[in-house]
Amino acid sequence: MANANQVDYYEVLGVERGATADQIKSAYRKAALKWHPDRNPESKQEAEEKFRQASEAYSVLSDEQKRAVYDRYGRAGLDGRGFESSGFNASIFDEFQDIFGDLFGFDQNMGGGGRRGRGPRGQRGADLRFDVSLAFEEAAAGVTKQIHLTRHEVCETCQGTGAKPGTGMATCRTCGGRGQMSYQQGFFSITRTCPACQGAGQVVREACATCRGQGRVERERTLEVGIPAGVESGTRLRMTGQGEPGSHGGPQGDLYVFLEVKEHPFFERRGADLYSTMPISFPQAALGATIIIPTLHGEEEFEVPEGTQSGQTFRIKGKGLPNPHGGRGDMYITIRVEVPSKLSREQRRLVEELGRTVKVHNKPVEHSASFFDKVKDIFG
Ligand SMILES: [Zn+2]
Ligand SMILES: [Zn+2]
């Protein structure tokens, strides 16, 4: 490309040095239409050269950074600054597609698998989802679960090529090994990935018997999932690389384990805190009592203080769930004083006797205290 060093990019596109990006784009569009090799069958070589020059000029002038370097130092400046060679290369046709794609309906995704270079693009495998249901205690303490799933894996017989071992590959007959198909549309030839070989340019000579040429097989797998303590319903664990295999050397997808935590018969969960309601009798409330309460680690004794009111809530610190951010939540116990709905003759006599001595001032309760003011801390 000796003469490329002499050409002035602005002259090539026929624009002023101070041209705007839009002017440059429009000038390139015109030049490319004029010099597209498909439009100049008689002077193909000259047209190709002009087309290259215009594309090269455009690739520099449409890039702010490159343009600034070019303005100051010329072509030589671009060569010395680690920019990709601005000579003719395949990517120019990609740029051509960039600029004309909107006009002529080029499909970037179909355009030869990748904007730079040719050949099939490695595609990442699909992600998979697996739902796991956990008992409340499992979620609280953390657990290792085994999950059984069916997924695709790379065929071991053929290493994913789809070819019977020892048979090798043959050139794709549909595209002649180019991996692409060209179609004529008006003045343009549109290039698409070959549907027969997906752009590889090669097809299997004889299909692998294990995977019937697919390169992947369905496998049942048992995986162990370490579920950390304190997870909630809706928690999603990602197992990197445990999804479907990629194609053409692309990476594997991921497996997402969605957790559902079952409700507990006693505990209501709010974040890392646990709430439960304990019924006690009127004498227990009035006199105080030691009762047995359920915790995550079995039953424990709890001292109900003398004169406890119905609806009063006690906080037992650190008896909640592990907090994902460290520490543990608390446990809240709300006391409900049960009033017997049926009394024996003896009980009725005793309550009546009590009623003669215990007086309650029957006036509305002021709603002053917030919930937390009423919570009594028990340092557990
Ligand atoms: Zn195979
Ligand atoms: Zn093909």
Side-chain angles (χ1 to χ4, degrees):
M1 300 300 299
N3 61 345
N5 280 315
Q6 281 111 53
V7 300
D8 180 88
Y9 290 151
Y10 292 97
E11 266 172 39
V12 166
L13 294 182
V15 293
E16 304 278 316
R17 291 195 85 78
T20 64
D22 279 345
Q23 287 169 334
I24 287 167
K25 191 170 180 174
S26 152
Y28 170 58
R29 222 177 257 218
K30 265 184 225 147
L33 283 169
K34 184 175 173 194
W35 297 114
H36 194 280
D38 290 351
R39 278 187 92 174
N40 297 274
E42 290 86 33
S43 51
K44 217 174 165 99
Q45 223 162 356
E46 192 206 344
E48 242 173 54
E49 180 57 29
K50 296 273 189 195
F51 185 79
R52 281 175 198 176
Q53 284 182 4
S55 297
E56 184 183 326
Y58 177 70
S59 76
V60 170
L61 298 185
S62 63
D63 181 316
E64 243 176 80
Q65 217 185 340
K66 286 186 193 171
R67 186 179 175 185
V69 172
Y70 177 74
D71 286 348
R72 273 190 87 172
Y73 306 102
R75 260 287 309 249
L78 290 169
D79 288 343
R81 277 176 167 72
F83 288 107
E84 67 190 57
S85 161
S86 46
F88 178 71
N89 57 39
S91 75
I92 278 175
F93 284 102
D94 288 329
E95 271 156 27
F96 185 74
Q97 286 201 358
D98 279 351
I99 199 166
F100 292 103
D102 51 337
L103 287 180
F104 297 101
F106 287 103
D107 186 346
Q108 290 291 352
N109 295 324
M110 300 291 285
R115 300 191 37 222
R116 306 277 159 198
R118 298 300 181 207
R121 172 172 38 193
Q123 284 207 328
R124 192 172 168 278
D127 292 331
L128 296 175
R129 171 183 174 149
F130 195 91
D131 293 345
V132 169
S133 181
L134 299 172
F136 190 90
E137 289 82 357
E138 290 178 322
V143 66
T144 299
K145 280 274 179 189
Q146 290 203 331
I147 61 172
H148 309 281
L149 78 160
T150 307
R151 68 177 178 200
H152 286 103
E153 293 187 1
V154 171
C155 173
E156 282 157 17
T157 310
C158 63
Q159 310 291 329
T161 62
K164 185 176 172 183
T167 61
M169 309 290 282
T171 301
C172 173
R173 275 194 289 183
T174 308
C175 63
R178 287 179 300 131
Q180 298 180 327
M181 308 282 287
S182 292
Y183 305 87
Q184 204 69 25
Q185 183 177 317
F187 295 116
F188 298 100
S189 68
I190 297 173
T191 305
R192 301 243 146 127
T193 302
C194 170
C197 62
Q198 274 86 45
Q202 294 189 312
V203 291
V204 300
R205 228 179 262 279
E206 220 177 312
C208 164
T210 310
C211 63
R212 292 197 300 274
Q214 297 299 303
R216 49 173 62 193
V217 285
E218 220 171 57
R219 280 277 150 75
E220 283 182 27
R221 287 284 176 199
T222 300
L223 300 176
E224 286 207 337
V225 190
I227 293 163
V231 294
E232 289 181 75
S233 271
T235 301
R236 206 177 70 160
L237 303 175
R238 186 172 76 170
M239 299 179 76
T240 308
Q242 297 286 3
E244 298 266 299
S247 64
H248 302 300
Q252 293 201 204
D254 299 329
L255 170 65
Y256 287 92
V257 179
F258 283 66
L259 302 178
E260 192 234 323
V261 181
K262 289 193 192 117
E263 299 220 338
H264 192 276
F266 308 133
F267 298 127
E268 189 196 324
R269 178 175 175 175
R270 292 179 212 164
D273 295 330
L274 295 177
Y275 291 78
S276 65
T277 300
M278 286 297 294
I280 61 171
S281 70
F282 171 75
Q284 283 178 318
L287 303 172
T290 302
I291 60 170
I292 302 296
I293 58 162
T295 75
L296 288 175
H297 311 288
E299 297 186 322
E300 281 185 22
E301 288 190 346
F302 176 73
E303 294 293 330
V304 178
E306 188 181 311
T308 291
Q309 303 297 314
S310 194
Q312 199 168 346
T313 299
F314 296 90
R315 171 162 59 199
I316 310 176
K317 284 202 166 172
K319 292 281 182 188
L321 294 156
N323 195 319
H325 310 294
R328 286 186 87 94
D330 302 325
M331 179 183 276
Y332 292 89
I333 292 177
T334 300
I335 296 297
R336 193 172 75 197
V337 177
E338 299 263 281
V339 176
S341 51
K342 219 167 167 226
L343 295 173
S344 68
R345 186 180 298 236
E346 171 68 357
Q347 286 168 334
R348 178 171 292 275
R349 192 186 61 77
L350 289 169
V351 173
E352 278 170 353
E353 198 171 313
L354 183 67
R356 277 191 289 275
T357 57
V358 175
K359 294 292 177 207
V360 171
H361 197 49
N362 296 121
K363 92 173 208 243
V365 176
E366 289 175 28
H367 56 84
S368 58
S370 74
F371 171 75
F372 284 100
D373 292 335
K374 286 188 229 160
V375 172
K376 291 271 161 54
D377 279 350
I378 308 291
F379 293 86

